[in-house]
Amino acid sequence: MESRLKVLGHPVHPMLVMFPVALLVTAVIFDVVDTVGGPDFLGEVAYWNITVGLIGGLLAAAAGAVDLLTLPTGTRAKRVGLTHAAANVAVILLFAAVWVVRLNADSRAAGGALIAIEVVAVAILGISAWLGGELVDRLGVGVDPEHDLNAPSSLRPPSTHQRIGDVR
């Protein structure tokens, strides 16, 4: 299934996801370093990484929603896509909660509880990123009009009737 939202022939959603993923993961790293005694400015940088990561995440979600809505009901791709979307909503909500707490705080630095929330959010983000890879690489969503939207999980060994290297 090819993406309906493209720029110069390339699907938009995979292009947009790298920014919020990188910004949110980096924010957590900066917060941890700041908390264990790193430079004071890292808490502020992490806050702004979260701010821009949330904006990028919402843009990526909008582009992903276009692809998700075009997936046929009853396919494995639709189920994986819905799980991927739900996980990303959870990530956005968790980081938004951290952002709101830090918004009017005297210091934009995160404490232990906020970092714990961030770590949980990044763990969910890792799962969601794997699901996104499953959608694109295994199920061909957004990139391959002829791919099998019911292909088995990449975690399952190939069946005996599949040739080595055949991913369908």
Side-chain angles (χ1 to χ4, degrees), residues 2 19 46 56 59 70 73 76 94 107 125 137 143 145 147 157 160:
E2 283 189 277
F19 296 106
L59 292 172
T70 61
T73 304
R76 179 169 175 268
L94 288 169
S107 167
L125 183 59
D137 295 336
V143 296
H147 212 73
T160 55

Side-chain angles (χ1 to χ4, degrees), residues 24-89:
L24 296 174
V25 170
T26 303
V28 176
I29 293 168
F30 286 173
D31 276 337
V32 169
V33 171
D34 179 50
T35 301
V36 298
D40 290 339
F41 70 88
L42 286 181
E44 183 79 21
V45 174
Y47 168 82
W48 287 107
N49 276 9
I50 292 170
T51 303
V52 178
L54 288 170
I55 293 166
L58 293 173
L59 292 172
V66 171
D67 290 340
L68 179 62
L69 293 172
T70 61
L71 289 172
T73 304
T75 60
R76 179 169 175 268
K78 185 72 162 199
R79 290 187 304 275
V80 172
L82 288 169
T83 305
H84 172 69
N88 285 331
V89 167

Side-chain angles (χ1 to χ4, degrees), residues 4 14 22-23 35 38-39 50 55 73 130 134 137 146 150 152:
R4 304 249 168 123
L23 287 163
T35 301
I50 292 170
I55 293 166
T73 304
W130 183 85
E134 188 78 356
D137 295 336
E146 303 299 322
N150 286 307

